[in-house]
Amino acid sequence: ARHQCLYLVRLHAHEFLAQNGDKQWLLGLDYAPPKLKSLVEVNNIPAHRPWLITKQHIENLCRGNDAWSLSEVMQALLIITHFHSLCSFINGCGIALEIDQGGATNRPTSSSGDESE
């Protein structure tokens, strides 16, 4: 949702529920387990400036009551990075939800305001 890629969010939400995922988790971060909530800050960084992730971010995830193992952190970062790049690809291709999914059949590729194109 950070990239406003509703197509991908809905696709993954549908698949999550198809695999018997907890419906509550889709209601927002308040409903997610604390361990997953700890990824919020690290998720926001690659969305816009991935070069700002530091060793300290990784160490913070590996400490505390809901600590991640280093391999879990690396896997989570790989998934986050893949998701962000896929959102950019989908938005760049103009892919959007179909009308029956609450979207439109295409996205405008230009903001010229010329309706005749």
Side-chain angles (χ1 to χ4, degrees):
R2 185 110 186 123
H3 280 292
Q4 313 242 335
C5 187
L6 196 54
Y7 173 82
L8 197 56
V9 170
R10 293 236 178 120
L11 179 71
H12 282 285
H14 176 76
E15 186 61 30
F16 177 74
L17 293 174
Q19 299 301 321
N20 298 317
D22 185 350
K23 224 187 285 192
Q24 291 286 90
W25 289 15
L26 299 178
L27 297 176
L29 285 174
D30 293 335
Y31 299 92
K35 189 171 181 175
L36 289 179
K37 286 183 192 178
S38 67
L39 287 173
V40 171
E41 182 183 357
V42 173
N43 180 48
N44 293 340
I45 297 169
H48 304 289
R49 299 185 310 191
W51 54 90
L52 294 180
I53 291 181
T54 65
K55 175 183 170 186
Q56 189 63 42
H57 290 108
I58 307 300
E59 287 176 350
N60 290 344
L61 289 169
C62 294
R63 292 190 197 132
N65 294 336
D66 297 307
W68 293 73
S69 69
L70 186 57
S71 62
E72 287 175 322
V73 172
M74 293 299 102
Q75 185 173 6
L77 285 174
L78 182 70
I79 292 167
I80 287 169
T81 303
H82 179 76
F83 193 87
H84 286 293
S85 61
L86 193 53
C87 287
S88 296
F89 176 77
I90 287 169
N91 286 333
C93 290
I95 298 171
L97 292 172
E98 295 294 330
I99 291 173
D100 64 338
Q101 297 172 318
T105 56
N106 63 13
R107 285 182 75 191
T109 56
S110 165
S111 60
S112 65
D114 184 5
E115 299 288 324
S116 63
E117 291 181 32

